[in-house]
Amino acid sequence: MPIKFSYILAAGLAAGIGIWMSGGSVVVGGVGDGENATPAPAVRVAEQSEGTFRVEVRKLFAQDRQAVLEVRGRTEAEAKVAVRSHVTDDVIDRPAREGAYVAAGDILCILDRGTRESRILEAKAAVAEAEMLQKAAKQLSSKGFTAETRVMTVQAQLDAANARLEEAERELRRTVIRSPINGVIESPMAEIGAQLDKGSVCATVVNSDPMIAIGEVSELNIGQISENMTAEVELVTGDTFEGRVRYIAPAANPDTRTFRVEVEIPNSEGKARDGVTAVTRLPLPVEKAHKISPAILTLNDNGKVGVRAVDQENKTMFYPVKVLGGEQDGLWVGGLPDEVTVIVVGQEYVADGQVVEPVIKTAEVTQ
């Protein structure tokens, strides 16, 4: 039976592959082993052209960078006091009005005095009687007609009468409710004719000068902020104020790991209102940094982000970088020498320690 040509061809191919494998090296996935490893693209190009691989480089020089930390938050009044009644009675007068400015000590509400004045008269009469008894007891004691204990008893009665008089006078003064701080009266107020129970609010006074801009700062940035730092506060209304840091929380919020920061801003004209969305900008200390194009960033074998550069001997090296911030024309990074020659074209095709031929264009030198 004649042998088919396809069988003869298959047998020949199998024999050829076996001979090649017995005398050569096996490459899996394009990667060899040891001296047979697949070289980097730049090395292969250099070997084929019998020269070094050419890369485009650019010189970078460190610059002073003034970073600004933005903190989003809201405004909060310096003080907001709900002025409460210490007695129970009806409001008979309300000299102040919502939205009006009041100074500390100004009258907000006047309550009905009721029988409080008569209690004062009664307390005064008790004091007068106790004073006469004390005087008589002292005279009798000096002549030996009464015991010293009688003098002490009468003195105690006088002290008690004076205490009742003082309490009655304090009770009467409490019918006039005054503002404890300077500020503006917030709506609503207690209406005339309404009964205020003990602890009920007559009015809420808001002191908005100075105004406070509050926000939360990450634990990564809190170390860059200090008290009395200058700050710029921009409100959602468009108004901008200059202020200073007056408070930094000593402990982080356990839920968010952020720290409360307060910036005090002057508000004598009352333009800043309580509870308005605010953006606080804090200028951080000046630091040395490089502005680069994101396109030149690369990864090393360990997965770190950085740039490849060439040294004075034209050998390549890898510098890991830390991204500090971004702008429309590039990224600010740290971690590089003050002066460095980075590879801007070809950095993905070279290995660390490889000798290359750098080509630099004078017009593209960054300073």
Side-chain angles (χ1 to χ4, degrees), residues 40-51 53:
V43 176
R44 298 201 305 270
V45 172
E47 290 176 349
Q48 294 171 6
S49 62
E50 298 182 356
F53 186 72

Side-chain angles (χ1 to χ4, degrees), residues 286-365:
V286 176
E287 60 183 344
K288 290 288 187 181
H290 294 76
K291 183 182 284 187
I292 66 171
S293 168
I296 72 174
L297 292 175
T298 186
L299 297 175
N300 68 357
D301 294 338
N302 297 324
K304 292 184 178 180
V305 178
V307 298
R308 279 198 169 88
V310 295
D311 59 15
Q312 294 180 348
E313 298 177 354
N314 293 338
K315 288 185 178 180
T316 61
M317 57 177 47
F318 181 83
Y319 287 105
V321 299
K322 177 183 178 182
V323 178
L324 303 176
E327 296 181 4
Q328 293 183 349
D329 57 346
L331 287 178
W332 285 100
V333 298
L336 297 177
D338 287 349
E339 182 178 345
V340 62
T341 302
V342 299
I343 302 174
V344 295
V345 176
Q347 70 272 21
E348 301 290 352
Y349 301 98
V350 295
D352 295 342
Q354 179 183 337
V355 177
V356 296
E357 181 184 347
V359 178
I360 185 170
K361 294 183 180 180
T362 306
E364 294 184 354
V365 174

Side-chain angles (χ1 to χ4, degrees), residues 54-102:
R54 300 179 68 184
V55 294
E56 184 177 331
V57 299
R58 179 178 301 174
K59 286 188 176 181
L60 299 180
F61 300 89
Q63 306 174 53
D64 288 335
R65 176 176 180 261
Q66 176 69 74
V68 176
L69 177 64
E70 285 195 354
V71 181
R72 298 188 177 275
R74 60 182 175 82
T75 57
E76 187 175 280
E78 164 71 7
K80 188 173 184 179
V81 180
V83 187
R84 302 178 183 274
S85 174
H86 293 283
V87 296
T88 299
D89 225 312
D90 298 336
V91 179
I92 61 173
D93 195 7
R94 200 183 64 174
R97 294 293 181 268
E98 292 95 334
Y101 176 85
V102 291

Side-chain angles (χ1 to χ4, degrees), residues 25-47:
S25 61
V26 178
V27 178
V28 180
V31 180
D33 185 19
E35 63 181 7
N36 297 313
T38 302
V43 176
R44 298 201 305 270
V45 172
E47 290 176 349

